[in-house]
Amino acid sequence: MTTDRIAGAPISWGVCEVPGWGYQLPPSRVLAEMHDVGLVATELGPDGFLPADASAMADVLAGHDLRPIGGFTPLLLHVTGQDPVPDVEKLLQTYAATGSDVLVLSAVTGLDGYDERPDLDAEGWRTLLGNLDRLDALAAAHGVKAVLHPHVGTMVENGTDVQRVLDGSSIALCLDTGHLLIGGTDPAELTRQAPHRIAHTHVKDVDLGLARQVQSGRRTYTEAVREGIYRPVGCGDVDFTAIVSHLRAEGYPGWYVLEQDTILTEEPSGEGPLTDVRASVAALRALLESPTE
């Protein structure tokens, strides 16, 4: 069933790789709440969230009845002489030991955070696209699906960037409905135009008013996250009905990962992020269980 492919991500609980992002909840709480809300799998989260030893990592996840599916991997992909292959080869050993099968690549800038990015010249684009194809082939040789995640504040952010990846590489995309919309790409339209290139989905709804403030420079991305740019599914401006319809028509076999970036200032005394996650799970499940047109 499609609803058996709804997964979670630690960032929905404020767990993030960015230094100084906010209060970091312990995995014991995050994973228990994922299980309690009915999620069946999770992305692995940033380095340090789960044990580095693959066997211990698998044991922790199994203890919460959660399947590991790989996850977000920020890498410098546009710098000549900076070879990402050794790091990915090491990561794929962990994937093999845990049964993870989706490598979500992000073309980071080399700066901390996601509030600014440099311009990329022609040589940088050649290097980036070449590395994407190399990593795509490397992952496939290990039985793993590599996808490129367009992301605010990275080298692949806006519609022009996304089109260059589609035209210049063979790698599949992670359809992050939130980052695409904030970056200026309509995720429903992208799903209509190129459903065959989508192999993984990050589900997040967005307040379009705050998104436009990020686009215009009136707010940084971090400020917008803090102010609630990401909304529970169905409470924002993403057209999930159209997205799911296009994916269904293509026979999309991948995961729907609920990923609502949040920033915590302290440990929640009540439910905290779980309230929004629960609402999103219910809304996404209802959408995926609805009859096709």
Side-chain angles (χ1 to χ4, degrees):
M1 290 179 60
T2 306
T3 52
D4 292 335
R5 291 187 272 121
I6 300 176
I11 187 62
S12 294
W13 280 260
V15 178
C16 183
E17 76 283 353
V18 176
W21 180 259
Y23 180 83
Q24 303 291 286
L25 286 169
S28 56
R29 174 168 178 170
V30 173
L31 300 177
E33 291 184 353
M34 284 187 183
H35 176 264
D36 290 347
V37 83
L39 299 176
V40 299
T42 181
E43 292 193 357
L44 303 178
D47 288 346
F49 177 67
L50 294 173
D53 177 77
S55 178
M57 180 188 296
D59 287 345
V60 167
L61 294 175
H64 293 279
D65 293 323
L66 292 168
R67 173 182 167 182
I69 57 173
F72 188 74
T73 302
L75 292 171
L76 272 177
L77 300 175
H78 65 284
V79 178
T80 303
Q82 180 81 28
D83 188 358
V85 166
D87 286 340
V88 173
E89 285 180 329
K90 182 178 179 181
L91 179 60
L92 289 172
Q93 295 174 12
T94 299
Y95 274 41
T98 59
S100 300
D101 58 7
V102 183
L103 176 65
V104 183
L105 300 171
S106 174
V108 295
T109 64
L111 306 172
D112 286 339
Y114 300 111
D115 291 337
E116 58 180 319
R117 70 170 193 159
D119 292 329
L120 192 56
D121 60 16
E123 177 61 27
W125 270 108
R126 282 192 292 271
T127 301
L128 190 156
L129 294 172
N131 278 328
L132 288 177
D133 282 344
R134 292 172 67 216
L135 296 178
D136 185 29
L138 175 64
H142 287 77
V144 171
K145 186 65 177 179
V147 295
L148 187 276
H149 184 330
H151 193 294
V152 174
T154 70
M155 306 316 298
V156 182
E157 175 185 80
N158 59 43
T160 300
D161 302 334
V162 173
Q163 194 60 51
R164 290 187 80 156
V165 170
L166 290 173
D167 293 341
S169 78
S170 59
I171 197 166
L173 294 181
C174 169
L175 182 84
D176 188 296
T177 60
H179 280 283
L180 284 165
L181 187 61
I182 299 166
T185 298
D186 180 346
E189 181 61 17
L190 178 62
T191 313
R192 184 189 69 79
Q193 292 179 348
H196 58 288
R197 292 292 294 272
I198 296 166
H200 195 58
T201 300
H202 283 175
V203 177
K204 47 167 69 83
D205 215 339
V206 173
D207 180 318
L208 186 57
L210 279 171
R212 287 174 173 158
Q213 291 183 36
V214 175
Q215 293 165 3
S216 68
R218 284 180 288 162
R219 288 244 190 321
T220 68
Y221 175 70
T222 304
E223 288 170 344
V225 174
R226 189 175 291 115
E227 293 174 28
I229 191 171
Y230 294 120
R231 309 295 301 137
V233 172
C235 297
D237 295 291
V238 175
D239 188 352
F240 287 108
T241 299
I243 289 168
V244 170
S245 176
H246 296 321
L247 291 178
R248 278 176 165 174
E250 184 67 18
Y252 172 72
W255 290 97
Y256 294 88
V257 180
L258 285 168
E259 198 202 42
Q260 298 164 269
D261 303 28
T262 191
I263 295 174
L264 302 177
T265 57
E266 60 185 2
E267 182 170 6
S269 56
E271 280 198 338
L274 181 60
T275 300
D276 283 356
V277 174
R278 182 185 290 108
S280 291
V281 170
L284 181 57
R285 183 170 285 123
L287 186 61
L288 296 177
E289 289 176 344
S290 65
T292 56
E293 296 182 358

